[in-house]
Amino acid sequence: WKWFVKMYPILHFIEEVVKLLFNFSYLIDKSKYYSLELWMSGVCLNRHTKERVGGSVRWLSVAMLGAAYVMRFLDWWMAEEGRTSRQAVTALPNPPPPRDSQVQSLFPANVCPMCHSCHSNSTTLTTSGYVYCYSCIIPHVLVL
């Protein structure tokens, strides 16, 4: 094992140089093999030029571009729909918080009106001003 530990850096350097030579020779079109492994297995890589590529590839690229435009349009369409409904809700003025003394006497400031216990993760509804536990109010808000 000692000889392997001593020789490994040299072997690794030789491997990287061979990879670089194969990649460079393929890049300048002097070799059909991109790597040593492809050369050893006999797998040749061929370049596709405009002359070799038929009309089907052009049709495919136009179809992919069209699909991308359709997807962007649908994304915009759905976002626009959600934005208008959110704007309609937020455009309404917020009502004042409840001031009824009976309601305040029934539910002190730190008690949830739904579960009648102390607030856990207090959540205020901007439309009414009431403070609820998050776990109590979220099922009702999600239904709306």
Side-chain angles (χ1 to χ4, degrees):
W1 285 105
K2 289 183 179 185
W3 66 268
F4 181 75
V5 172
K6 288 182 181 179
M7 294 298 294
Y8 179 76
I10 298 169
L11 295 174
H12 183 70
F13 176 75
I14 292 172
E15 177 191 15
E16 292 297 321
V17 168
V18 169
K19 282 183 184 180
L20 179 67
L21 291 174
F22 268 99
N23 289 338
F24 187 70
S25 63
Y26 181 76
L27 179 68
I28 61 173
D29 209 16
K30 296 291 182 187
S31 174
K32 298 184 288 183
Y33 306 105
Y34 180 75
S35 67
L36 179 65
E37 293 83 12
L38 291 176
W39 176 72
M40 291 173 67
S41 63
V43 176
C44 296
L45 299 178
N46 295 320
R47 295 179 188 264
H48 286 281
T49 59
K50 288 183 180 180
E51 296 80 28
R52 295 186 66 186
V53 175
S56 62
V57 174
R58 175 74 178 147
W59 178 85
L60 182 64
S61 66
V62 169
M64 292 291 285
L65 185 62
Y69 279 117
V70 168
M71 292 297 290
R72 292 296 296 162
F73 173 75
L74 290 175
D75 183 39
W76 170 80
W77 184 267
M78 295 300 178
E80 186 65 31
E81 180 180 308
R83 191 177 320 123
T84 55
S85 64
R86 273 179 280 161
Q87 286 174 350
V89 171
T90 56
L92 298 174
N94 291 337
R99 298 186 196 275
D100 188 12
S101 61
Q102 286 182 329
V103 173
Q104 289 178 354
S105 65
L106 289 174
F107 303 109
N110 63 346
V111 175
C112 175
M114 296 182 87
C115 66
H116 306 290
S117 64
C118 289
H119 293 126
S120 61
N121 196 5
S122 301
T123 304
T124 304
L125 291 182
T126 57
T127 56
S128 68
Y130 284 104
V131 179
Y132 299 93
C133 298
Y134 181 80
S135 57
C136 293
I137 197 62
I138 195 65
H140 300 286
V141 172
L142 290 177
V143 169
L144 298 175

